[in-house]
Amino acid sequence: GDVDFICNYLGNQAWTYELNWKGTKDFQSAEPHDWHDNGGLARSSGGLTFLQVYDGGHMVPADQPKAALDMIADFVNRKEF
């Protein structure tokens, strides 16, 4: 979540953006977009997604249970983020 003080989202966002893999350029050029009606912000490309859940802390399911369930459901059902 974006209010996580243990694993801050800005640091995680930075390393996913700089990750060296075959899809680096496509991921970097992908535009962040709204996820689940203002539940968060997602950037996806080539099977990699960075998801920023709004108002979620280190334990997103405790802070944003609906967003956590939506994230798991999207992943399990192979939906686009």
Side-chain angles (χ1 to χ4, degrees), residues 7-72:
C7 300
N8 75 80
Y9 86 95
L10 291 172
N12 290 327
Q13 184 179 48
W15 77 256
T16 56
Y17 191 80
E18 295 298 327
L19 185 65
N20 186 14
W21 63 297
K22 66 181 182 178
T24 300
K25 289 181 182 176
D26 290 337
F27 184 77
Q28 290 173 342
S29 65
E31 290 293 323
H33 58 274
D34 179 58
W35 176 76
H36 278 272
D37 297 321
N38 209 28
L41 194 64
R43 177 193 300 262
S44 296
S45 180
L48 177 63
T49 296
F50 178 82
L51 178 61
Q52 171 189 346
V53 177
Y54 295 147
D55 297 321
H58 192 66
M59 299 298 291
V60 168
D63 300 322
Q64 297 294 335
K66 183 179 180 327
L69 182 60
D70 289 344
M71 177 184 65
I72 298 295

